[in-house]
């Protein structure tokens, strides 16, 4: 779902080599294991949305120790239905339980409008370092988490 979301919504905003570095296929088991390890150890917190049949259709995560919202990804066929906004809200509620008062993130260019719609402020344009060392253009954003 993560790869489909990137390849479906970001492909019009980034060069193919960036998409390939960001969402390589086939999905490698060590990438899954690394995410599972970060969640199991509490380094990263995740929320998923499932379809009625149990299939994961959206995923989002944050790093409690760094106030970092990693991202929200929605499967392309489920986009623009409010799922991403609901997932983002759930992540923000969970972050407040950790005592976090703000989120910061490197938003992809294609996601800037989504985050602005949900109260995030643009700080500056920047670059995000991808696994493997590639850099991709991003938008540094911030949101104060209020009760």
């Amino acid at each position: 779902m993560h790869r489909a979301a990137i390849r479906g919504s970001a492909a019009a905003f980034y060069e193919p080599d960036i998409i390939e570095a960001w969402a390589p296929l086939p999905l490698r088991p060590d990438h899954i294991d690394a995410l599972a390890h970060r969640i199991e150890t509490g380094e990263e917190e995740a929320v998923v949305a499932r379809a009625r049949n149990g299939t994961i259709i959206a995923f989002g995560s944050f790093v409690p120790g760094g106030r970092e919202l990693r991202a929200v990804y929605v499967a392309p066929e489920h986009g623009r239905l409010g799922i991403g906004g609901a997932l983002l809200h759930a992540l923000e509620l969970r972050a407040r339980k950790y005592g976090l008062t703000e989120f910061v993130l490197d938003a992809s260019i294609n996601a800037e409008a989504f985050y602005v719609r949900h109260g995030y402020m643009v700080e500056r344009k920047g670059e995000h370092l991808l696994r493997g060392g590639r850099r991709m253009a991003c938008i540094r954003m911030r949101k104060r988490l209020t009760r």
Side-chain angles (χ1 to χ4, degrees):
M1 189 283 315
H2 172 256
R3 301 302 197 263
I6 291 168
R7 289 172 177 271
S9 63
F13 294 83
Y14 292 96
E15 296 295 322
D17 61 323
I18 296 294
I19 297 296
E20 188 57 39
W22 184 12
L25 289 176
L27 182 59
R28 293 181 16 203
D30 62 309
H31 290 181
I32 296 169
D33 293 343
L35 175 60
H37 177 75
R38 291 191 309 269
I39 291 169
E40 288 169 4
T41 61
E43 178 185 337
E44 193 165 339
E45 186 79 18
V47 174
V48 299
R50 296 180 183 273
R52 285 192 168 92
N53 67 5
T55 303
I56 294 175
I57 59 172
F59 167 84
S61 70
F62 69 96
V63 178
R67 305 176 338 263
E68 177 190 358
L69 175 63
R70 287 273 164 95
V72 171
Y73 296 103
V74 179
E77 63 273 18
H78 296 282
R80 304 206 178 276
L81 300 174
I83 296 166
L87 194 66
L88 182 58
H89 182 69
L91 288 163
E92 292 170 354
L93 286 175
R94 190 168 289 183
R96 287 185 198 111
K97 290 181 181 180
Y98 280 92
L100 298 181
T101 58
E102 71 174 352
F103 264 156
V104 295
L105 81 143
D106 288 343
S108 57
I109 296 168
N110 55 294
E112 178 183 1
F114 167 78
Y115 289 111
V116 167
R117 217 172 23 258
H118 292 282
Y120 286 75
M121 305 297 291
V122 172
E123 288 193 333
R124 67 183 181 279
K125 292 181 179 184
E127 288 186 327
H128 182 78
L129 185 62
L130 296 169
R131 182 187 305 230
R134 291 286 316 224
R135 294 185 179 275
M136 65 179 256
C138 71
I139 310 293
R140 186 68 169 179
M141 303 185 85
R142 179 178 305 270
K143 181 179 180 181
R144 185 139 183 80
L145 301 177
T146 57
R147 297 218 178 264

